[in-house]
């Protein structure tokens, strides 16, 4: 599957296209296969996202997991600061990234 | 410390307002990202892996307590309560919001700081010896020269669009604590036989994709021609540096391709031309600047002694204090490398603490080291114990200066969008391994440096042991390098062979240190043993 990601223009936060909106949670991301460019162009023009691009991913336990480690680090947060990741309460979340 | 005059302040304040307007226009959609990106980069604002990242310039690494307090307040107000001190003596914030960036820059300007020229193809923040003005072995304080060059290079219209970024370091001692020869221009203030001060120019060094050691192109430029000579070096580069290929655009490639002799000839020709153009600021300006760097009011501390009855304190004194030019004083290094911590990171609270310590014990001065630690440059021996107790209580008392646990690590894949692999977890694992096996002590001075990609922000080429993160088909992999040095015995590290995974690289580091402890002769550091016995015994132990 393909996911569309970018950064929120105002805050810089990593965001994912859900099919209707942008979310900071990768588990909300929709498969955009075949529509990447069209959605990216439209959303960037309306300034809802900064620098959108598509990445490869696969479904793991029903949740989209980006194929490249860089995108997994982006989607969660720095692996060395579990307190600052999106899921600080999950002690094993680092395994999802690596 | 240098204080802004009305021109400095007006330039910085004007820039903040200009950026406020540019940011507003971007948020309103009147500027596209393509138009806005170069504008934000000119103000040190990058878009990184998780958010916008702001790199703040700390000129030649020198700060006062007011500025350190302000950096702490910025970490609390605009970021997530911490900052990262970098290998260029700067500080970076990782979680900046674009909409708040103009206010942040305005707060910085109130304490005579900014983020201008911390990105882009211009002359970046000038770096220097972190013990400047304090070191027992320095000829003079190099910072007035660094400040003069800072003023010359700030907003220099001709060098605003160089072929590539440009880094200058200035030192004034035989001991090189600023990786001087691994800069685009390294300047060493020296004395000639007549006892006059001048500047030795080393041009074309650098790390990154093609590491090179800068050759000396002129061993003595009179100080009243310093800026003119720097201008000539830059002019030749600006004219002939390659703009067709980003990877060949640094001055090191030009100097290498032309040959040092031909590059020097062209610089001398340009210099002769420029001498008649009135480029050099009047010496009175240097003298004016120099008054800001006069010695603080040292007391007579010659009878100060250090009570070594607390062994932990005695160890910290032995490891983290260095000789000072004044009897009874030392420079104290505050380690930002606790075992298992993130090299170079400091919390807002720790920054406030360091600022207060500077005020109480070091004439209000702090320095950022390129090794990502902080220096209190002028501390009376009699006050060291009290100082150390506070450091200990705040997690700032690790006694590990220049030891294997004092690792330089760039932000790597945890923060940096250019990274191939994570640097920080590798640094943490190595420090934890050596702390737990108790081998650190026996290894003595051992500089280990890690970069998350070939850009070498973690100075891996200059590590006695270097580690470079690479991407092997989407999986992190680490190359091991041996034999580098950024100091006066400068050398570039060489790759041992095939890389390792994250745990493998930790084992590999332990393996090469075991070779060292087996092979070393009396008084040899790791680097000395490597240079004597060569790569083979290390390779043999690593790969069989
Ligand atoms: S060396 Fe590479 S990964 Fe590390 S900070 Fe520099 S650009 Fe980023």
């Amino acid at each position: 599957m393909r996911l569309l990601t970018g950064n929120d223009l105002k805050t810089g936060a990593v965001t994912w296209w859900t099919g209707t909106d942008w979310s900071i949670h990768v588990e909300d991301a929709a498969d955009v296969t075949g529509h990447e460019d069209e959605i990216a162009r439209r959303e960037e023009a309306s300034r809802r996202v900064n620098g959108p691009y598509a990445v490869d991913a696969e479904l793991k336990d029903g949740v989209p997991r980006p194929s490249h480690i860089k995108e997994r680090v982006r989607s969660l947060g720095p692996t060395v600061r579990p307190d600052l990741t999106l899921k600080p309460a999950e002690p094993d979340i680092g395994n999802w990234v690596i | 410390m240098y204080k802004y005059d009305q021109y400095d302040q007006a330039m910085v304040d004007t820039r903040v307002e200009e950026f406020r307007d540019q940011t507003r226009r971007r948020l309103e959609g009147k500027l596209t990202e393509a138009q806005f990106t170069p504008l934000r980069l000119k103000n040190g604002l990058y878009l990184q892996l998780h958010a916008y990242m702001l790199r703040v310039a700390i000129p030649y690494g020198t700060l006062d307590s007011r500025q350190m307090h302000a950096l702490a307040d910025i970490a609390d107000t605009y970021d997530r309560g911490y900052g990262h001190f970098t290998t260029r003596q700067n500080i970076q914030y990782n979680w900046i919001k674009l909409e708040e960036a103009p206010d942040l820059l305005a707060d910085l300007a109130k304490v005579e700081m900014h983020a201008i020229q911390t990105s882009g193809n211009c002359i970046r923040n000038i770096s220097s010896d972190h013990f400047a003005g304090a070191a027992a072995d320095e000829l003079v304080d190099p910072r007035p020269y660094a400040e003069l060059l800072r003023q010359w290079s700030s907003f220099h219209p001709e060098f605003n669009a160089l072929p590539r970024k440009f880094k200058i370091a200035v030192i004034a001692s035989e001991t090189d604590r600023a990786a001087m020869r691994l800069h685009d221009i390294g300047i060493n203030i020296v004395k000639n036989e007549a006892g006059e001060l001048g500047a030795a120019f080393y041009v074309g060094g650098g790390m990154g994709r093609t590491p090179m050691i800068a050759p000396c192109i002129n061993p003595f430029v009179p100080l009243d021609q310093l800026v003119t000579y720097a201008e000539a070096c830059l002019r030749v580069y600006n004219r002939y540096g390659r703009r067709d290929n980003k990877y060949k655009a640094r001055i090191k490639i030009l100097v290498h391709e032309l040959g040092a002799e031909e590059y020097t000839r062209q610089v001398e020709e340009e210099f002769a031309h420029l001498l008649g153009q009135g480029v050099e600021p009047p010496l009175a300006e240097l003298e004016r600047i120099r008054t800001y760097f006069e010695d603080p009011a040292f007391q007579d501390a010659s009878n100060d002694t250090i009570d070594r009855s607390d062994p932990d304190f005695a160890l910290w004194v032995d490891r983290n204090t260095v000789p000072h030019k004044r009897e009874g004083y030392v420079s104290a290094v505050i380690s930002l490398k606790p075992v298992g911590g993130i090299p170079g990171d400091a919390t807002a609270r720790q920054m406030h603490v360091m600022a207060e310590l500077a005020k109480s014990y070091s004439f209000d001065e702090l320095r950022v080291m390129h090794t990502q630690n902080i220096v209190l440059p002028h501390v009376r021996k009699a006050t060291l114990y009290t100082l150390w107790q506070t450091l200990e209580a705040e997690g700032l008392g690790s006694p590990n200066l220049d030891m294997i646990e004092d690792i330089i690590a760039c932000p790597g894949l945890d923060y940096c969008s250019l990274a191939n692999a994570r640097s920080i977890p590798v640094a943490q694992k190595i420090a934890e391994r050596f702390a737990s096996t108790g081998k650190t002590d026996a290894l003595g001075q051992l500089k280990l440096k890690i970069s998350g990609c070939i850009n070498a922000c973690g100075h891996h080429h200059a590590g006695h042991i270097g580690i470079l993160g690479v991407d092997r088909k989407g999986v992190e992999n680490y190359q091991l390098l041996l034999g580098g040095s950024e100091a006066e015995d400068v050398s570039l590290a060489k790759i041992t062979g095939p890389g390792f995974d994250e745990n493998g690289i930790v084992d590999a580091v332990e393996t090469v240190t075991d070779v060292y402890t087996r092979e070393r002769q009396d008084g040899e550091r790791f680097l000395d043993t490597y240079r004597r016995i060569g790569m083979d015994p290390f390779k043999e132990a690593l790969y069989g």
Side-chain angles (χ1 to χ4, degrees):
Chain A
M1 65 191 296
R2 301 272 287 166
L3 311 179
L4 195 64
T5 183
N7 294 79
D8 183 84
L9 175 61
K10 287 186 194 165
T11 66
V14 174
T15 53
W16 304 88
W17 177 247
T18 67
T20 53
D21 203 350
W22 293 90
S23 166
I24 57 169
H25 301 288
V26 71
E27 53 266 42
D28 297 338
D31 186 0
V32 294
T33 308
H35 305 283
E36 298 94 322
D37 294 346
E38 161 207 336
I39 304 170
R41 255 195 311 275
R42 188 189 70 221
E43 290 298 309
E44 182 147 53
S46 63
R47 281 175 285 126
R48 300 216 296 173
V49 70
N50 198 5
Y53 59 96
V55 300
D56 289 328
E58 54 267 356
L59 269 185
K60 195 176 176 208
D61 304 327
V63 173
R65 182 175 187 262
S67 305
H68 199 280
I69 183 173
K70 181 177 286 186
E71 295 305 327
R72 295 197 294 275
V73 175
R74 277 184 79 239
S75 62
L76 189 75
T79 64
V80 290
R81 288 296 302 262
D83 56 320
L84 298 180
T85 67
L86 283 178
K87 301 187 179 200
E90 292 184 27
D92 295 329
I93 194 67
N95 298 338
W96 182 86
V97 176
I98 312 307
Chain B
M1 263 194 60
Y2 183 73
K3 294 272 170 244
Y4 277 9
D5 60 18
Q6 73 269 34
Y7 303 109
D8 295 302
Q9 193 66 53
M11 280 198 294
V12 172
D13 290 344
T14 307
R15 179 56 90 84
V16 172
E17 288 318 305
E18 186 182 66
F19 185 62
R20 192 183 292 286
D21 182 55
Q22 290 160 346
T23 302
R24 180 184 55 75
R25 285 189 284 147
R26 173 67 187 122
L27 291 172
E28 288 173 357
K30 291 177 183 152
L31 291 175
T32 64
E33 186 60 16
Q35 291 166 326
F36 183 63
T37 298
L39 302 175
R40 69 168 158 75
L41 287 176
K42 279 194 185 306
N43 292 286
L45 194 65
Y46 291 70
L47 186 55
Q48 282 289 18
L49 225 45
H50 307 293
Y52 294 98
M53 177 274 276
L54 185 78
R55 180 179 298 150
V56 176
I58 301 174
Y60 30 89
T62 296
L63 288 166
D64 62 19
S65 64
R66 181 185 59 128
Q67 291 171 318
M68 187 63 114
H69 277 308
L71 294 179
D73 288 338
I74 284 168
D76 267 339
T77 309
Y78 301 101
D79 202 272
R80 299 193 177 180
Y82 68 107
H84 176 74
F85 289 97
T86 76
T87 53
R88 296 220 69 252
Q89 301 179 292
N90 292 324
I91 185 169
Q92 294 180 177
Y93 296 102
N94 300 299
W95 303 94
I96 300 305
K97 296 182 174 71
L98 176 60
E99 52 191 352
E100 294 179 354
D103 288 342
L104 189 171
L105 293 176
D107 285 358
L108 269 181
K110 286 180 200 146
V111 292
E112 302 175 24
M113 297 185 82
H114 60 71
I116 298 161
Q117 290 181 209
T118 61
S119 172
N121 295 337
C122 55
I123 302 174
R124 304 288 188 88
N125 187 29
I126 313 283
S127 55
S128 187
D129 185 344
H130 41 252
F131 296 137
D137 64 348
E138 80 181 2
L139 196 55
V140 287
D141 187 337
R143 289 174 303 163
Y145 309 100
E147 173 58 27
L148 186 71
L149 291 167
R150 185 192 74 79
Q151 296 190 15
W152 160 74
S153 60
S154 297
F155 299 106
H156 195 308
E158 190 176 327
F159 305 138
N160 202 17
L162 292 165
R164 200 76 179 84
K165 58 185 164 185
F166 204 92
K167 301 175 182 175
I168 301 177
V170 186
I171 66 170
S173 57
E174 280 177 13
T175 314
D176 182 358
R177 288 174 284 258
M180 184 268 292
R181 292 188 67 190
L182 296 170
H183 281 72
D184 297 287
I185 294 182
I187 293 173
N188 191 6
I189 307 296
V190 292
K191 232 180 213 167
N192 66 9
E193 281 173 4
E196 297 154 339
L197 288 174
F201 269 71
Y202 297 81
V203 181
M207 291 186 254
R209 188 172 295 267
T210 320
M212 291 196 189
I213 296 168
C216 181
I217 69 155
N218 190 329
F220 192 87
V221 176
L223 285 183
D224 58 359
Q225 298 173 346
L226 175 75
V227 168
T228 311
Y229 203 82
E231 182 116 355
C233 292
L234 262 298
R235 272 206 165 176
V236 174
Y237 168 57
N238 205 18
R239 198 177 294 148
Y240 298 118
R242 290 185 58 174
R243 292 173 194 267
D244 61 320
N245 182 341
K246 184 178 169 194
Y247 301 120
K248 300 199 171 189
R250 297 288 291 267
I251 193 173
K252 61 192 171 186
I253 304 292
L254 178 72
V255 174
H256 182 71
E257 286 185 353
L258 282 179
E261 214 171 296
E262 172 57 17
Y263 172 75
T264 309
R265 190 193 65 72
Q266 295 191 20
V267 169
E268 293 291 337
E269 197 175 284
E270 185 64 38
F271 177 56
H273 164 71
L274 282 173
L275 277 177
Q277 305 287 307
V279 169
E280 196 70 31
L283 262 185
E285 178 59 12
L286 182 59
E287 291 311 319
R288 184 188 76 86
I289 291 171
R290 218 194 301 273
T291 59
Y292 291 105
F293 295 95
E294 271 162 13
D295 280 349
F298 292 124
Q299 296 154 339
D300 177 5
S302 48
N303 292 327
D304 275 18
T305 51
I306 296 173
D307 176 358
R308 299 173 58 90
S309 50
D310 180 332
D312 290 339
F313 169 63
L315 183 69
W316 179 81
V317 169
D318 291 342
R319 296 223 180 123
N320 282 40
T321 65
V322 301
H324 195 280
K325 65 183 183 185
R326 281 295 288 246
E327 216 182 331
Y329 285 83
V330 292
S331 295
V333 175
I334 302 175
S335 172
L336 299 183
K337 316 286 178 66
V339 172
I342 297 178
D345 274 16
T347 63
R349 181 189 161 93
Q350 288 175 324
M351 289 186 236
H352 282 308
V353 168
M354 291 189 285
E356 283 305 303
L357 290 174
K359 212 190 294 182
S360 305
Y361 301 113
S362 184
F363 296 96
D364 207 30
E365 260 194 61
L366 304 112
R367 310 284 173 74
V368 182
M369 301 170 78
H370 80 268
T371 55
Q372 303 175 290
N373 293 313
I374 303 293
V375 177
L376 298 177
H378 317 291
V379 182
R380 261 189 86 154
K381 286 181 179 172
T383 61
L384 273 176
Y385 189 65
T386 324
L387 165 70
W388 172 78
Q389 284 178 310
T390 307
L391 292 176
E392 270 289 278
E394 299 292 338
L396 293 166
S398 301
N400 55 18
L401 176 65
D402 289 340
M403 311 200 65
I404 197 165
E405 293 167 21
D406 182 14
I407 298 170
I408 288 184
C410 77
L413 189 53
D414 279 298
Y415 291 99
C416 176
S417 56
L418 300 173
N420 287 324
R422 291 169 303 147
S423 310
I424 299 166
V426 173
Q428 291 172 321
K429 283 186 177 173
I430 291 171
E432 279 162 358
R433 169 76 62 90
F434 282 86
S436 68
T437 55
K439 288 182 175 177
T440 301
D441 283 1
L443 295 174
Q445 189 198 82
L446 207 169
K447 299 184 184 180
L448 197 153
K449 308 182 189 231
I450 309 176
S451 303
C453 81
I454 193 74
N455 289 327
C457 305
H459 294 187
H460 62 277
H461 299 296
H464 298 177
I465 297 177
I467 295 173
L468 168 64
V470 294
D471 179 336
R472 269 207 8 213
K473 299 191 180 128
V475 177
E476 296 168 301
N477 193 265
Y478 297 92
Q479 290 180 346
L480 184 66
L481 298 90
L482 302 178
S485 170
E486 85 287 16
E488 59 284 1
D489 59 351
V490 62
S491 58
L492 299 172
K494 292 198 174 70
I495 295 175
T496 56
F500 304 88
D501 65 15
E502 186 180 329
N503 291 324
I505 191 70
V506 181
D507 294 338
V509 168
E510 191 169 15
T511 300
V512 294
T513 59
D514 287 345
V515 173
Y516 159 63
T517 41
R518 188 185 73 214
E519 298 286 340
R520 74 174 155 199
Q521 294 178 352
D522 267 1
E524 275 185 345
R525 303 167 300 163
F526 178 92
L527 183 63
D528 303 321
T529 303
Y530 169 83
R531 285 175 173 171
R532 181 174 53 77
I533 68 176
M535 182 66 99
D536 287 349
F538 295 96
K539 270 190 167 170
E540 176 65 26
L542 287 166
Y543 306 108

